[in-house]
Amino acid sequence: MSKLFDPVRVGRYTLQNRLVMAPMTRSRAQRDGTPGELAAEYYAQRASVGLIVTEGTQPSDDGQGYLTTPGIYTDAHVAGWKKTTDAVHARGGHVFIQLMHAGRMSHPDNTPHHRLGVAPSAIAPGAPMFTVTGMQDIPAPRALTTEEVRQTVQDFRYAARRAIEAGADGVEIHGANAYLIQQFFAPSANARTDEYGGSIESRARFAIEVATAIAEEIGADRTAIRLSPGTTLWGIDEGVNGPDLYRHLVAELDKLGLAYLHIMHQGNEALLADVGKLWHGTLILNRPGRSREQVGADLATGLADLEAYGQMILANPDFVIRLKEGAPMNDADRNGFFGGAAQGYTDYPTLNEA
């Protein structure tokens, strides 16, 4: 476990340890997408981890899927996020803002313009979503035109620049969890016949173009991406060629010299091993549900350079100290995961407070 606490170089930064706070939607932003008043406190409390990756943050009006998620494309968003980045930096931490376009995982009642979600194709995910009037079925999205796909790449580019203006150390592209980028990967969501659909290379094209554009805008050493190969959330089915798509994708992304690749592992160990061979940069590995006793295992074997954790860091602002001292951990309060105020957000006690 001692290797967990060693400094590590990631992109242009030297991080204080090899622990990463995984991105977690908390739904506490203002209705205009400006981070909520408690966001700076929440993230600063957890600044002792080597890297904080923020909750998914939409790059445009079209990118919003859920209620009260933050954005990073207006002056108000930038000013709001600046409070958080300043607070994290004041405690010696580093923070990447995750850029998340929800794609078809959206409802008109949740977005500023109240329009249908946009996606590779007009195929509904077959899932409900929470809205201001309760749970509703997600309607079929509007298929993006080829030109709109290219404009969405530019939306990501612009949002990355605004994130740097807000003081972020970099951005992580959300290419996982059944949102827009992964929708392009999956034949169950992508029936396009232009250059963004059909073959493995075409379905991977959008992700590569987004990563390339952001790397050009803010520097490859401040650009990262998260993938979740094999995810089957919300109607996503990457098909029998899914693993080969990721082999192609990772090989192409590797050429860009990105700060890191963040894998949310879904259990395909053979594919994970291949990813490790194809990716020559920094690899962050997140295994959902991993127990405290397994923390550090992937570092010990050399499979990963850093390990990311979600609920354990959410519930334990002093996660690093508790690991070092073998102290008990707070349990996460699921009732406080989404929405609300301080309860289940900034009120978890540290060891000293306990």
Side-chain angles (χ1 to χ4, degrees), residues 221-237:
D221 56 358
R222 295 195 289 192
T223 304
I225 189 166
R226 190 181 207 218
L227 304 172
S228 58
T231 288
T232 56
L233 291 168
W234 302 311
I236 290 294
D237 183 352

Side-chain angles (χ1 to χ4, degrees), residues 144-153 184 192 196 206:
L144 291 160
T145 67
T146 302
E147 184 53 40
E148 286 173 332
V149 174
R150 295 174 183 143
Q151 179 55 51
T152 304
V153 173
F184 273 91
R192 302 179 71 91
Y196 295 99
F206 178 65

